[in-house]
Amino acid sequence: MSTQVHANLTESQVEQISEDLGEPDWLLETRKEALAALEDLDMPDVIRTPGRTWTNLDALDYETLVDPLDYAQEKDRIDAEGVDVLSWSEALAEHGDRIEEHFGSVVDPQRDYLTALSTALFSAGTVVYVPEGVDAEDVKIRTTMNSKSLFNYTLVIAEESSSVTILERQTTGDEVEGARYYSGVVEAVAGENAYVQYGTLQNLSEESYNYQVKRGHAGTYATVDWIEGNIGSRLTKSNVETRLLGDSSESQIVGAFFGHNDQHFDIASRVWHEAEHTVADLVTRGVLDDQARSVYEGVQDVGREAWDTSSYQRENTLMLSEESEADASPKLIINNHDTEASHSATVGQVDEEDMFYMTSRGVNPERAKNMLVEGFFVPVLEEVAVDELRDDLDDLIVERLTA
Amino acid sequence: MSSDQDHLKETDTEARFEFKKEEKSAFQTEKGLTEETIRVISEDKDEPEWMLERRLRALEQFQQMPMPEGWPGAPDLSEVDIEQIVPYIRPDIETRGGAESWEDLPDEIKDTFDKLGIPEAEKNALSGVGAQYESEIVYQNMQERWEEKGVIFCDMDKAVQEHEDIVREHFMTKCVPPSDNKFAALHGAVWSGGSFVYIPEDTTVEMPVQAYFRMNSEGMGQFEHTLIIAEENSEVHYIEGCSAPKYSAFNLHSGGVEVFVGENAHVQYSTVQNWSKNTYNLNTKRAIVEADGTMEWVSGSMGSKATMLYPATILKGPGATDNHITIAFAGEGQDIDTGAKVYHNAPNTKSTIESKSISKDGGRTNYRGLVHISDGAENSSTSVECDALMFDNKSTSDTMPYMEIQENKVDVAHEATVGKIGDEDVFYLQSRGLDDDDAKQMIVAGFIEPITEELPIEYAVELNRLIELEMEGSLG
């Protein structure tokens, strides 16, 4: 048992947070249970190979990283017509029963140590409620962390035949001495024939440790699509997951990262096919410069009853520097033969012939390389259906290349 | 094919693979594993002091080490009971050093081997056979011209006596130390029998060198050790085949294979294993390849209750190459967890892994592999391809590759596919007059062809027959 228990974490702090938000008793109870569970919970699973642990989450000193009662943030929310985009206190007042029904139903509040910590301490976040039949294009959330630590919790409920596109930006604001900690949990429930697209652009300061769990449940004919761009943070441990629970449900998980300096991105995309005629497509591309390291896990799990499954996964990493490291483990777990499944992963460098082609046409090598790296992301950018997110991500990539 | 022929083929194949003989054992240690057991084995073999010391140290390591843990989806080894293993059995034969020729073998052993098709292999003018019946090589035949060239092919026990220096230098030191994993440590403590192959510089052995291993004693383990040393510019193909009858008692097979591929040398190690359905097959196989050398692993894993086997190659010298071709077949109640490990530790190294698996009637296959490219191993390339075929929704087919890439001047590609036998393919063959079973068998035969074409003809035939046996009657 390697997990540390917060000595500086008390029940009264949790009660304080809960009171600030004006929460009902059931939520306070859920928080307290999560707090009590910390003693027995392990850190999130990480990949281990002979003699190596790919990401060492035990090495972080969460006591100095987390200040439970100091949570300063800025939140901008832009809602669309017919959709409720609310803070937790507003949402609990307005949709108390719905929240009680769905909270913790997708992401287990005690999934692991860091998730339970988030359940106990979350103070910021958003509830997005999309009523039946409502079509909502542009819900935007911008979270700026101004304190040492911030626990952000987002719940998305999309009723039958509704659709919503949510774009979330995560940044750090005020300078804070030393390392910082950001935790983001997203639960998405897509009802029958509903469509949820959730895009995140993470550009936290490079002193920040970032833990994310995004998980969706897709009902019959429903689609849950995730887009995640990781540019910032010192260390990111991210999980993006969909359970395809209804017949003919679909999910696409698109990921992009660009690491430099000594950034460490541990990124996982996972999908569970649990019904008939389900489709999943996992696409991730990343670039590494300097001493940056990426760790990728992709899991396609096809259940016993998942007849007529289609499941695809591809992951490509480009290494720009001698000192970088790219680790990858794409996994297939198939329990039904009526499946078409494939995965592929590649690691390499900027193609020499492409470089030669461009430099021979008078493009200077630095610029040629930048163009090729930008071009490398195109297949992922093409999968991003939200124009604004695509442009932002592209801007950040160019900014990093020319820094 | 007429039904008469079908029947003949079936009974013949059944007879070849599912039979059991009363064995006579000259010497058998008590069940269980103690320091005393180890001393008895070593003494009976009249081993030098250093080998006894190594065994005892390995035993100590075995007792301290945990079972393999923290592996997602690893086979259940909770039934592996070391106390129930009889580590050492020697067949009752007149000559301790092995028989001179086939005729010198006791009828009982000859009969066993007949059913395994060894005489056919012999008739096919194969140049050397060391056959291990239980834990010891009892029969070897080597062509004179090899001996003139300085090629050594003998059983491992004999090598400890007669080639002491070279064995002492290479035996479980640099390649597979007992500390590698719990079952390597067990192997180091109780190993017995196996082959020693030494190919001097600039020597090519044109014929495959072969050894057969079997288990034929209830509750008995097999811990044979194979040590292959191929010096600079040499070339050899070593083949090991296994086929075990069904038992009711529990069995453990924990072999060890160490291969040293010298500069510009070429070694191919091929094996088709068919352990009985109650055997736990836990092996450690590893090769170290010097500059410009080539290692090739060809393995077919059939049978066993659970198999964990990941032949590993360390590409130590610049320009070294490693190729893996593996096939796994899992039927009812079987968990075949196999794959490959490759470490690229030098520039311009190259590896390819081609894995095929078939799962059926509730069996599970898993490809578990690691490709590691160290910092500085520039211009390395690796390509991994895993294809799995599934017959029903009771079965499981998993793929769990791991890639650790610490060098940027590389070309790394991994691909995997899983699918069922295509209805269209079956329809195509049926419309040309094949019945459903034959069509499926033909598709499977085509699916595993990359493996069978690497094997000498009688092995390819054996592998195809084994798979036919597995598929017979329960298709469609």
Side-chain angles (χ1 to χ4, degrees), chain A residues 72-285:
Chain A
Q73 57 142 3
E74 264 175 66
K75 198 63 109 192
D76 297 319
R77 299 189 183 94
I78 298 171
D79 55 14
E81 200 178 336
V83 185
D84 291 346
V85 182
L86 307 167
S87 70
W88 275 97
S89 44
E90 290 169 326
L92 285 162
E94 218 166 307
H95 299 288
D97 291 352
R98 284 199 182 93
I99 292 171
E100 187 171 4
E101 184 191 342
H102 292 295
F103 186 94
S105 69
V106 182
V107 176
D108 177 354
Q110 297 172 24
R111 166 189 171 118
D112 51 50
Y113 182 91
L114 295 181
T115 308
L117 195 63
S118 167
T119 308
L121 298 180
F122 82 89
S123 55
T126 308
V127 175
V128 179
Y129 178 71
V130 195
E132 190 175 330
V134 168
D135 235 335
E137 284 280 313
D138 299 331
V139 174
K140 288 173 198 157
I141 303 168
R142 182 187 292 276
T143 306
T144 310
M145 171 163 81
N146 290 327
S147 45
K148 191 164 182 63
S149 59
L150 190 68
F151 293 84
N152 198 76
Y153 205 108
T154 308
L155 174 61
V156 180
I157 302 166
E159 300 283 13
E160 193 176 322
S161 299
S162 70
S163 78
V164 64
T165 292
I166 301 163
L167 174 49
E168 184 193 8
R169 291 180 180 81
Q170 300 159 341
T171 54
T172 30
D174 302 350
E175 284 294 312
V176 172
E177 195 64 31
R180 307 168 77 167
Y181 182 73
Y182 182 87
S183 165
V185 175
V186 181
E187 293 190 276
V189 184
E192 186 168 324
N193 197 35
Y195 172 78
V196 174
Q197 179 171 231
Y198 197 103
T200 312
L201 196 50
Q202 178 274 115
N203 194 20
L204 300 162
S205 77
E206 288 184 36
E207 290 76 46
S208 307
Y209 291 85
N210 169 37
Y211 175 66
Q212 310 250 346
V213 182
K214 302 187 183 79
R215 190 170 160 110
H217 281 183
T220 309
Y221 307 122
T223 298
V224 176
D225 287 347
W226 300 101
I227 301 159
E228 183 179 79
N230 280 295
I231 302 290
S233 84
R234 159 78 190 76
L235 179 145
T236 286
K237 166 74 182 165
S238 158
N239 307 280
V240 184
E241 303 170 349
T242 307
R243 284 179 69 193
L244 297 164
L245 294 170
D247 289 359
S248 305
S249 57
E250 299 190 13
S251 180
Q252 187 183 44
I253 302 175
V254 176
F257 60 85
F258 192 156
H260 72 157
N261 298 335
D262 61 351
Q263 287 182 304
H264 180 116
F265 294 136
D266 181 325
I267 287 159
S269 302
R270 301 186 184 97
V271 60
W272 289 267
H273 298 263
E274 298 178 60
E276 297 184 16
H277 321 296
T278 57
V279 180
D281 188 18
L282 279 47
V283 187
T284 300
R285 281 197 169 214

Side-chain angles (χ1 to χ4, degrees), chain B residues 142-178:
Chain B
M142 205 155 73
Q143 295 181 348
E144 280 176 20
R145 62 195 169 108
W146 280 12
E147 287 175 14
E148 283 165 18
K149 285 178 175 176
V151 173
I152 304 166
F153 174 44
C154 67
D155 75 71
M156 202 61 228
D157 292 311
K158 191 168 154 190
V160 172
Q161 306 288 349
E162 296 183 7
H163 308 284
E164 193 174 340
D165 290 349
I166 196 164
V167 171
R168 188 172 183 170
E169 183 188 345
H170 293 88
F171 186 93
M172 296 191 84
T173 50
K174 312 166 206 181
C175 198
V176 181

